[in-house]
Amino acid sequence: VQLQASGGGLVQAGGSLRLSCAASGRTFSGYRMGWFRQAPEKEREVVAIIRGSSGSPSYADSVKGRFTISRANAKNTVLLQMNNLKPEDTAVYYCAAGLPVLGRSWYDRTAYDVWGQGTLVTVSS
């Protein structure tokens, strides 16, 4: 079971990037899949997730209106379109997948048990 993240890079403030996460090894159609990020000396935080059953997304307040998450390829690929990037978006971005767990919210990183390697996003001012 693997999640392979790609698409990070260096961009100027106001620019755009698209992250991609390709899942393999099992079918993730029933899984929540999403993105977390971790900036230096900060805790890992949720960015956006998309549900497997309904396809409905949820976003951190800090990225609402700027980022869009979607699924493709029979739900085994998750895309994160990031527009109007800000320097505070600079972080290592991780994709994650997990089945819904009673009592664990969509933004709780412990609700996700499959993680990809990180991809670095750097936004210059």
Side-chain angles (χ1 to χ4, degrees), residues 87-111:
E88 52 263 43
D89 294 317
T90 294
V92 177
Y93 284 67
Y94 299 90
C95 61
L99 286 169
V101 177
L102 188 64
R104 293 188 186 174
S105 299
W106 62 271
Y107 48 82
D108 182 349
R109 65 179 185 232
T110 67

Side-chain angles (χ1 to χ4, degrees), residues 2-99:
Q2 265 193 323
L3 298 178
Q4 182 72 37
S6 61
L10 172 64
V11 64
Q12 288 189 330
S16 298
L17 282 174
R18 188 175 77 164
L19 304 184
S20 178
C21 175
S24 61
R26 71 164 71 140
T27 299
F28 284 85
S29 58
Y31 281 65
R32 291 172 181 157
M33 294 185 71
W35 294 91
F36 287 70
R37 67 186 181 187
Q38 188 165 16
E41 300 183 0
K42 290 191 175 181
E43 289 197 359
R44 194 171 296 189
E45 62 178 6
V46 71
V47 176
I49 68 97
I50 188 164
R51 294 167 179 80
S53 53
S54 64
S56 65
S58 291
Y59 297 92
D61 287 345
S62 58
V63 306
K64 279 180 183 175
R66 300 188 297 123
F67 292 10
T68 302
I69 190 169
S70 60
R71 294 180 80 146
N73 295 341
K75 300 185 178 181
N76 268 25
T77 298
V78 177
L79 304 174
L80 185 69
Q81 179 66 42
M82 305 186 294
N83 297 328
N84 190 22
L85 282 159
K86 303 177 180 180
E88 52 263 43
D89 294 317
T90 294
V92 177
Y93 284 67
Y94 299 90
C95 61
L99 286 169

